[in-house]
Amino acid sequence: MKYLMAENKDLRRSVEDLQQAMRIPHKRSIPESPVAFSAKLSHNVEHAGIDQTVIFDSILLNEGGHYNPHTGVFRVPVEGIYLFNMMFADGYEPHRLWMRIVVDGQEKVAGVADTLTNNHDMMGGNLAILHLHPGDSVWVATFYAADVKIYGRHSFTTFSGVLLYQY
């Protein structure tokens, strides 16, 4: 019996040593507090210029309060992997609406809505998954074409983001 108890103790120690050796330090973790937002444009924007920040003024969700509906800018609170999505509408008059997700002045992804004829509506958008750091700023801006109309009525034009996991 004494022999079995000693062998059991040795086996337990071996298992613990193996478990310790196999442990990989995890840099990622579930966010300590939720960081997520979703906002929409509540009105049409007439005559938008090139590189104009789109201010999504109607909040659907703002967990953590890091999206500013007065500036249209999301400020990153913690280092981590974030997902951002933008959708936008263009229509009635033939022209193109180009928009992009920007991080600290650098384009990350872009989209276009191209209405070919009168009364032809079109949606554009894109999604990005990004590794960001505290203090980074994220927003949506127009580009390429000036004097464009952005449709905000009926919740067509939205900007959303969520922290997937933090470092």
Side-chain angles (χ1 to χ4, degrees):
M1 181 76 157
K2 200 175 201 180
Y3 169 76
L4 289 175
M5 289 178 68
E7 188 175 317
N8 188 18
K9 186 176 180 181
D10 287 342
L11 286 172
R12 284 180 190 241
R13 190 173 304 131
S14 294
V15 168
E16 288 173 2
D17 289 346
L18 283 171
Q19 287 174 331
Q20 181 68 24
M22 292 178 63
R23 283 199 184 107
I24 298 171
H26 295 293
K27 288 179 64 178
R28 299 183 272 192
S29 65
I30 296 171
E32 294 173 13
S33 57
V35 177
F37 76 94
S38 188
K40 64 182 182 176
L41 191 61
S42 67
H43 59 282
N44 292 342
V45 174
E46 305 284 342
H47 312 292
I50 295 176
D51 289 324
Q52 180 175 326
T53 299
V54 180
I55 299 173
F56 298 85
D57 60 317
S58 181
I59 299 290
L60 300 170
L61 175 75
N62 198 7
E63 289 290 325
H66 302 286
Y67 175 76
N68 185 328
H70 304 291
T71 64
V73 176
F74 170 78
R75 184 96 42 202
V76 174
V78 296
E79 181 181 4
I81 302 299
Y82 290 80
L83 181 146
F84 294 95
N85 182 65
M86 66 173 173
M87 295 299 298
F88 52 92
D90 184 27
Y92 291 126
E93 302 151 4
H95 71 283
R96 291 182 180 118
L97 174 59
W98 301 75
M99 297 202 347
R100 58 185 166 192
I101 295 176
V102 179
V103 177
D104 291 334
Q106 300 296 311
E107 176 183 302
K108 296 301 175 181
V109 295
V112 63
D114 188 355
T115 55
L116 303 173
T117 61
N118 284 333
N119 299 319
H120 179 218
D121 297 328
M122 198 61 143
M123 293 289 294
N126 211 330
L127 179 140
I129 299 174
L130 305 168
H131 181 177
L132 299 175
H133 299 88
D136 287 347
S137 295
V138 184
W139 65 90
V140 172
T142 59
F143 75 106
Y144 191 67
D147 196 28
V148 295
K149 182 175 186 175
I150 306 168
Y151 285 107
R153 294 179 52 221
H154 307 295
S155 305
F156 287 129
T157 301
T158 61
F159 178 38
S160 302
V162 62
L163 172 62
L164 299 176
Y165 56 87
Q166 71 185 67
Y167 284 103

